Amino acid sequence: MIKKLFVCILVCVAFTTVMADEGMWLPSRIKERVKEMRSLGFKLKADDIYSDTKASLKDAVMQFGGGCTGEFISPEGLLLTNHHCGYSSIQKLSSVEHDYLTYGYWAKSKSEELPVPGLTITLLVRMEDITDRVAAGETNASIVAEAEENGRYTAQINSMYYGLQQYLFVYQVFKDVRLVGAPPSSIGKFGGDTDNWIWPRHTGDFSIFRVYANADNEPAEYSADNVPYRPKRFFEISTKGVEEGDFTMIYGFPGNTQEYVTSDAVEYVANVANPMKIELRTKRLEIISEAQAKDAAVRIAYAAKHASIANSWKKWQGESLGLSRLNTIEKKQDYENYFSMWAQSQPQYAHILDSLRVAYKRVAPGYFVRELFNESIGSIEAYNYTVNLANGAAMVDAGTITAGNLLNWRVNFMKDYNVSIDKAIAQYLIDEFIARAPKDIIPSELLAAIDNCGTTEAFVDSIYSNTHLLTAEPLSSVDIQNDIMTTFVGWFNNVVKNNRKYVYRNISNVPEIENWYRPYMQALREWDSNRAFYPDANFTLRVSYGTVTGYENVDGEYHTHLTTLDGIIAKDNPEIYDYNIPQELRDIHSRGDYGRWGVKVNGRTTVPVCFLASNHTSGGNSGSPVINGRGELIGINFDRTWRSTMSDIEFDPTICRNISVDIRYVLFVIDRIGKAGYLLNEMNLK
Ligand code: ARG
Ligand code: ASP
């Protein structure tokens, strides 16, 4: 009983006061937070962050590509994002003769800036709470149509709190975006997958682009006549550095959090989905790494694939560990019990938790099949290629793309494709799918074919050696329809069709479940009235704030907030790919020749590299501006620490830290490694 009471008190304390640092706030409502922000060192006003009518910091922030953030740093549309966000653009522009990934790229004048076909930059024009308009009967379609002003803008409605509120977001999408500068990967990706999600960190994770517009400063398709876009607002840059305790703010587009879900959802993520996904990826990564170790060309061809498979793989492991260490499931159960006691006397809410529980029971098996399929059959490269090829061929027939487009795509795919890796992975993943999927969804044709061949290995051998699709040869002589790979793909049509019912960001967003979260969120606001509710991340613009600070990593081991060039030199090792730095950087260090970029850290002169802060961030916040109390840029956000990886589900302010590259390191690399100091002339350094 005493224990129960104790748990209850703990729970109440832990859940009813949102500590500073937690939260991803809607910019248009930031005035509700400004008092607290000021107490932490913020010096500006709410409408300096967001305003519908005057230029504000929001005009300097953009969504970069589909899933990252970037920020303007000059009146001429120059912008910063992460190296890992610019990576695929840099790769697309690279060739063996011009290997910008390895050696970096620095445009010496605007005429050398390289257009990136397909890359877009999205700026928020305004946002509006339209909950009342929708309730009054306006349709989403009419609200969007009105906001788009005959094609001038792109508008979108996003629901917050599982649909309790609706927000309209009006955007401008720019399509002429050019690469201006990128450090060599040995700086921009320093530490590679080894250091990913880890502190201490020494990655110069930045790249530089420029947005171009037409003569009216409006978005336009690429044209040599376009001119640099003049943003309404750009960031001034502080070179004064950061101290422990300084206020910091992150302005960006976080993608996916689920802070309000019930214990059943956490149980599903931590104990059902994550273990399956981690196991399947462990073996895939092993197969790829082994092949990479044997062949340098394979190492390069599979570098980006390996990095992206490994990124989530590593994060899920940290997430499951973190959720178990924080006892998130038990804490949520206590919270739910406590809620139920109150809800019993509220007829409209009394049944919600039971209904949610039933809904999870019904939805989880199907949702799991979708996740299992994506991580198994759906991760076989030949499977995906064949699906895309058939779609591509249909688009050629319909005239949406040219045969040349399709051929280019195939050439690109084949350039980085290794059939023996894919076969080994296919064999493993087919077996795992069969072992883990419910019997009634496993295609009987698949089982019969394997039976026929004797083993999965022999089956895989037979489809890969009989297909004619896995080449970049002209398609004219090939019959896609009757190819064995198309037959294989077709066996899964029913599974794929059924999975469409489950294509939502999280299990909790499947309508059958989400419908119950709407009244649940409503009830929580009434019951847990001291809690400050921020809507879960959904790739809409948010503000997080906190302070520059280290953390206790384990008992007795404090991780300080700042890393320096000395730490890069300590990790430097020409034998280890991830830690092999440019000779130039070694030379600068051995001469101690830092010029204006040298600063004293703990009594020695060095160059600051990365720093930690307590801002609540998520995937999508990569590239976000890190801003000081005066609204100046002090860094670029790019990661979280190992012990923060559960923060999409439970944010623990004592330990969750975001990792940023210090703007002074960015400037140092531009100036001293890129020899592109002229770029600094268009920035406003303070
Ligand atoms: N963990 C960071 C994020 O989730 C950085 C990923 C890029 N770096 C890498 N080594 N894969 O996106
Ligand atoms: N690295 C992430 C990103 O690319 C940021 C994070 O998950 O903290 O958006």
Side-chain angles (χ1 to χ4, degrees):
M1 180 64 201
I2 286 180
K3 185 162 168 255
K4 257 247 150 78
L5 203 72
F6 182 65
V7 167
C8 170
I9 288 167
L10 266 184
V11 165
C12 306
V13 171
F15 277 99
T16 54
T17 51
V18 162
M19 324 262 299
D21 307 332
E22 178 173 357
M24 302 173 162
W25 308 97
L26 290 166
S28 60
R29 299 190 55 170
I30 200 64
K31 49 183 168 312
E32 294 160 25
R33 312 304 309 170
V34 159
K35 201 168 150 219
E36 188 187 53
M37 291 168 73
R38 289 184 150 265
S39 75
L40 294 169
F42 180 62
K43 301 276 191 284
L44 306 177
K45 296 194 295 289
D47 67 355
D48 294 315
I49 294 178
Y50 177 90
S51 166
D52 279 337
T53 50
K54 60 161 205 170
S56 60
L57 290 180
K58 84 132 186 0
D59 299 308
V61 183
M62 70 200 71
Q63 187 164 49
F64 181 91
C68 279
T69 304
E71 55 275 0
F72 287 121
I73 50 164
S74 97
E76 295 192 89
L78 197 67
L79 70 93
L80 286 175
T81 186
N82 288 144
H83 186 262
H84 81 261
C85 295
Y87 199 79
S88 61
S89 302
I90 304 167
Q91 179 172 37
K92 260 193 237 162
L93 298 170
S94 293
S95 60
V96 181
E97 305 83 63
H98 302 286
D99 185 352
Y100 306 139
L101 274 186
T102 306
Y103 301 106
Y105 182 75
W106 304 96
K108 287 189 196 58
S109 66
K110 295 205 177 74
S111 63
E112 288 187 4
E113 297 177 355
L114 304 174
V116 188
L119 177 62
T120 58
I121 290 300
T122 305
L123 296 184
L124 179 66
V125 179
R126 66 181 180 90
M127 57 187 287
E128 179 187 339
D129 182 348
I130 52 159
T131 314
D132 292 342
R133 291 175 62 181
V134 174
E138 279 188 74
T139 66
N140 284 7
S142 68
I143 294 173
V144 164
E146 182 199 323
E148 290 191 333
E149 299 186 16
N150 295 318
R152 181 171 183 204
Y153 301 128
T154 305
Q156 188 178 304
I157 293 171
N158 290 84
S159 58
M160 306 290 165
Y161 309 108
Y162 298 91
L164 212 52
Q165 287 178 9
Q166 312 295 328
Y167 273 79
L168 170 70
F169 293 86
V170 183
Y171 298 108
Q172 255 184 326
V173 181
F174 288 82
K175 294 179 173 165
D176 186 351
V177 186
R178 306 186 192 172
L179 175 66
V180 175
S185 289
S186 53
I187 287 178
K189 214 175 156 8
F190 180 80
D193 288 339
T194 318
D195 283 8
N196 193 21
W197 301 109
I198 298 283
W199 184 261
R201 190 66 156 278
H202 300 88
T203 312
D205 199 344
F206 78 94
S207 55
I208 313 175
F209 291 78
R210 193 189 304 278
V211 178
Y212 281 76
N214 66 18
D216 300 326
N217 207 32
E218 297 281 328
E221 296 291 336
Y222 169 79
S223 157
D225 297 335
N226 285 346
V227 291
Y229 171 67
R230 297 182 307 281
K232 285 197 202 111
R233 185 75 193 258
F234 65 91
F235 282 102
E236 300 179 326
I237 295 174
S238 168
T239 56
K240 305 231 166 62
V242 294
E243 300 284 345
E244 184 132 25
D246 284 355
F247 172 87
T248 59
M249 180 180 124
I250 301 272
Y251 213 159
F253 291 85
N256 191 354
T257 63
Q258 24 185 349
E259 309 285 347
Y260 305 104
V261 293
T262 60
S263 52
D264 287 337
V266 184
E267 160 76 27
Y268 172 79
V269 172
N271 299 335
V272 179
N274 280 357
M276 177 275 290
K277 297 195 274 192
I278 293 163
E279 253 186 83
L280 266 50
R281 287 195 181 204
T282 301
K283 180 73 182 178
R284 260 167 93 199
L285 287 167
E286 262 171 44
I287 293 170
I288 295 172
S289 303
E290 221 171 89
Q292 283 180 309
K294 285 190 205 134
D295 184 339
V298 174
R299 183 177 55 67
I300 295 166
Y302 274 70
K305 292 176 196 172
H306 189 284
S308 97
I309 301 167
N311 188 42
S312 308
W313 168 78
K314 197 164 177 183
K315 184 195 147 174
W316 293 325
Q317 294 177 60
E319 182 176 77
S320 282
L321 274 175
L323 292 170
S324 127
R325 179 172 44 79
L326 290 177
N327 289 317
T328 305
I329 295 175
E330 292 76 8
K331 273 192 290 190
K332 293 230 174 210
Q333 281 166 347
D334 285 335
Y335 186 71
E336 287 151 25
N337 288 339
Y338 214 57
F339 170 83
S340 294
M341 275 149 57
W342 171 82
Q344 265 163 30
S345 57
Q346 313 285 321
Q348 74 277 35
Y349 299 138
H351 60 286
I352 294 178
L353 278 177
D354 288 339
S355 303
L356 262 173
R357 169 147 287 190
V358 170
Y360 275 110
K361 277 225 165 64
R362 286 166 51 107
V363 169
Y367 199 82
F368 179 77
V369 167
R370 177 203 159 202
E371 298 209 271
L372 172 64
F373 182 82
N374 287 350
E375 288 294 325
S376 57
I377 308 298
S379 293
I380 298 170
E381 287 183 81
Y383 174 91
N384 274 312
Y385 168 82
T386 304
V387 171
N388 291 328
L389 184 64
N391 291 338
M395 285 162 82
V396 173
D397 286 345
T400 354
I401 60 169
T402 66
N405 294 146
L406 186 62
L407 186 63
N408 273 347
W409 169 77
R410 292 174 62 219
V411 170
N412 268 328
F413 172 84
M414 292 310 300
K415 178 166 81 77
D416 289 344
Y417 179 68
N418 180 293
V419 73
S420 36
I421 293 181
D422 195 33
K423 279 173 69 178
I425 287 177
Q427 184 188 326
Y428 168 71
L429 291 178
I430 290 170
D431 279 342
E432 289 300 312
F433 176 75
I434 292 173
R436 293 167 191 256
K439 294 292 156 274
D440 58 326
I441 72 144
I442 303 169
S444 55
E445 299 94 327
L446 175 70
L447 295 174
I450 293 175
D451 217 36
N452 222 353
C453 295
T455 60
T456 312
E457 185 179 5
F459 164 70
V460 167
D461 257 341
S462 87
I463 56 173
Y464 279 77
S465 50
N466 285 312
T467 179
H468 298 285
L469 303 183
L470 287 169
T471 70
E473 299 299 315
L475 276 181
S476 43
S477 55
V478 181
D479 184 355
I480 301 182
Q481 279 296 307
N482 292 308
D483 193 273
I484 181 74
M485 220 30 110
T486 306
T487 309
F488 173 69
V489 166
W491 292 340
F492 298 96
N493 282 351
N494 278 335
V495 184
V496 170
K497 201 169 133 223
N498 202 46
N499 283 348
R500 286 197 198 118
K501 286 192 260 178
Y502 301 98
V503 182
Y504 294 91
R505 199 168 29 246
N506 296 304
I507 184 172
S508 305
N509 300 107
V510 177
E512 196 177 333
I513 295 177
E514 185 170 279
N515 289 340
W516 293 111
Y517 271 108
R518 238 160 278 152
Y520 182 56
M521 293 302 303
Q522 180 75 47
L524 287 188
R525 288 166 153 201
E526 286 173 35
W527 168 63
D528 198 353
S529 53
N530 286 332
R531 187 171 176 183
F533 288 92
Y534 55 92
D536 274 315
N538 56 1
F539 284 110
T540 59
L541 188 61
R542 303 300 176 91
V543 173
S544 315
Y545 55 89
T547 50
V548 173
T549 170
Y551 65 101
E552 190 177 79
N553 182 47
V554 292
D555 187 29
E557 181 186 298
Y558 190 78
H559 280 185
T560 57
H561 70 280
L562 190 72
T563 59
T564 68
L565 186 55
D566 298 356
I568 296 185
I569 299 299
K571 283 179 180 171
D572 176 30
N573 183 341
E575 305 288 303
I576 301 174
Y577 180 77
D578 286 344
Y579 293 132
N580 183 11
I581 60 171
Q583 187 55 38
E584 190 134 34
L585 193 54
R586 285 184 197 119
D587 295 344
I588 291 173
H589 176 262
S590 59
R591 294 196 305 268
D593 166 27
Y594 307 132
R596 65 186 286 201
W597 309 113
V599 299
K600 275 238 168 5
V601 177
N602 299 328
R604 56 181 209 278
T605 302
T606 184
V607 180
V609 175
C610 292
F611 67 89
L612 288 176
S614 58
N615 303 288
H616 190 180
T617 55
S618 184
N621 270 125
S622 274
S624 297
V626 189
I627 305 163
N628 69 14
R630 290 180 301 280
E632 300 154 346
L633 190 68
I634 53 173
I636 314 170
N637 182 70
F638 70 96
D639 205 5
R640 283 169 280 171
T641 61
W642 179 241
R643 302 199 64 189
S644 309
T645 39
M646 72 295 166
S647 70
D648 293 346
I649 295 175
E650 184 177 351
F651 183 91
D652 175 359
T654 65
I655 200 134
C656 287
R657 300 292 178 262
N658 64 304
I659 304 178
S660 307
V661 53
D662 193 303
I663 202 67
R664 294 170 294 176
Y665 186 55
V666 173
L667 298 171
F668 163 82
V669 171
I670 294 174
D671 185 23
R672 300 299 299 280
I673 301 291
K675 315 273 191 307
Y678 50 87
L679 288 173
L680 274 45
N681 298 337
E682 61 178 287
M683 304 176 196
N684 193 345
L685 304 187
K686 304 215 138 181

